[in-house]
């Protein structure tokens, strides 16, 4: 099963993708995570990527498409994959279409998380993750069970993303409205888009995703 999870920054795409990975054994292909790994590697393209990300702008389409194509080809995607943060422009959506038909693959579901943009800044500014295993937490909604200790791996260091600062969040939302929102009609015209309310609890949203997936 292959799916795309769409929605603005802070809609919960990463959280829901993590749950899909646990439940269905899918591979999460998050272009944001891949780019953050590139930045962390300290390479020269990583420096350039960091500048783009810190401005809340988008990395060039050709780089992103090549990155995703390489990941889809890995044997680990045998049970399927979930695209999180990709496609983000109509150029990427069309390139994905062409790429999938070349590889004789298809997208089973395109799920849009609909959220109120006013709550996004709060959601993003409160989030942090384990520095070791990457599991996500939130100051208001999901703290570790034992204060300061990761529930999954026990590590005691946490990270906050530099692009979750309010001014960068505003640029990211603008990039979403101008460049990513136009792909919604692209998928609804194809008849594959399913939109769900992304404002409930993590479990409520996950239940809705499960209903869609169970529906075939
Ligand atoms: P995310 O973790 O999905 O919120 O992505 C963080 C940042 O990485 C974005 O603000 C962009 O700068 C960059 N990025 C992630 N995915 C893409 C993509 N598909 N196309 C272009 N830039 C991307």
């Amino acid at each position: 099963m292959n799916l795309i999870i769409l929605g603005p920054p802070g809609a919960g795409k990463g959280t829901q993708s993590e749950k899909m990975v646990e439940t269905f054994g899918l591979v999460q292909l998050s272009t944001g995570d891949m780019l953050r790994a590139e930045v962390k590697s300290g390479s020269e393209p990583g420096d350039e990527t960091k500048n783009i990300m810190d401005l809340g702008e988008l990395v060039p389409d050709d780089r992103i498409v090549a990155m995703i194509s390489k990941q889809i080809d890995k044997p680990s995607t045998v049970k399927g994959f979930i695209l999180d943060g990709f496609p983000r422009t109509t150029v990427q959506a069309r390139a994905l279409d062409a790429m999938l038909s070349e590889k004789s693959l298809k997208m089973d579901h395109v799920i849009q998380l609909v959220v109120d943009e006013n709550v996004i800044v709060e959601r993003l500014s409160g989030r942090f993750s384990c520095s070791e295993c990457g599991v996500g937490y939130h100051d208001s909604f999901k703290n570790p069970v034992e204060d300061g200790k990761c529930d999954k791996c026990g590590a005691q260091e946490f990270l906050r993303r530099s692009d979750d600062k309010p001014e960068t969040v505003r640029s990211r939302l603008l990039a979403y409205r101008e460049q990513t929102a136009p792909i919604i009609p692209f998928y609804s015209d194809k008849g594959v888009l399913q939109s769900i309310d992304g404002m409930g609890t993590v479990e409520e949203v996950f239940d809705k995703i499960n209903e869609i997936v169970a529906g075939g």
Side-chain angles (χ1 to χ4, degrees):
M1 173 171 63
N2 302 320
L3 41 96
I4 300 176
I5 189 144
L6 290 174
K13 301 186 296 294
T15 307
Q16 295 299 333
S17 302
E18 275 171 22
K19 291 184 76 66
M20 297 294 289
V21 169
E22 282 165 20
T23 313
F24 298 104
L26 304 180
V27 171
Q28 177 186 8
L29 299 180
S30 157
T31 42
D33 285 352
M34 293 172 206
L35 294 168
R36 279 183 286 281
E38 183 184 284
V39 169
K40 212 172 160 191
S41 75
S43 64
E44 205 178 300
D47 288 347
E48 197 187 314
T49 303
K50 181 172 171 25
N51 290 338
I52 296 174
M53 291 170 83
D54 283 348
L55 288 171
E57 293 174 1
L58 296 184
V59 172
D61 290 323
D62 50 351
R63 278 189 53 201
I64 298 283
V65 169
M67 208 163 78
I68 280 288
S69 176
K70 209 166 129 191
Q71 295 296 324
I72 289 179
D73 287 342
K74 290 193 174 167
S76 53
T77 61
V78 64
K79 283 191 181 165
F81 53 82
I82 174 158
L83 297 176
D84 158 18
F86 176 89
R88 235 173 171 108
T89 63
T90 42
V91 171
Q92 292 179 17
R94 287 179 206 286
L96 174 65
D97 250 21
M99 185 198 301
L100 292 176
S101 53
E102 247 172 52
K103 298 181 199 290
S104 303
L105 294 171
K106 70 175 178 69
M107 209 41 85
D108 298 291
H109 303 282
V110 180
I111 301 173
Q112 179 195 15
L113 301 181
V114 180
V115 291
D116 175 353
E117 282 195 14
N118 294 320
V119 302
I120 280 177
V121 179
E122 188 208 349
R123 275 200 184 182
L124 292 184
S125 59
R127 71 182 182 176
F128 61 98
S129 62
C130 171
S131 66
E132 285 296 320
C133 70
V135 158
Y137 295 98
H138 195 281
D139 292 327
S140 314
F141 316 119
K142 187 193 165 196
N143 274 296
V145 175
E146 195 179 325
D147 200 22
K149 194 169 165 194
C150 176
D151 297 346
K152 188 172 173 193
C153 75
Q156 297 187 3
E157 271 194 48
F158 297 89
L159 301 170
R160 283 179 197 267
R161 281 171 49 170
S162 60
D163 62 349
D164 279 347
K165 290 195 288 276
E167 62 274 23
T168 311
V169 169
R170 274 188 283 277
S171 308
R172 289 166 64 200
L173 283 172
L174 187 68
Y176 178 80
R177 261 181 251 126
E178 290 184 344
Q179 296 176 76
T180 309
I183 70 179
I184 305 287
F186 174 83
Y187 286 113
S188 61
D189 288 351
K190 281 168 155 298
V192 292
L193 184 78
Q194 278 148 313
S195 301
I196 58 175
D197 180 4
M199 297 297 293
T201 64
V202 170
E203 291 307 328
E204 283 164 355
V205 176
F206 189 58
D207 284 348
K208 288 181 194 149
I209 293 179
N210 267 319
E211 274 169 34
I212 291 176
V213 170

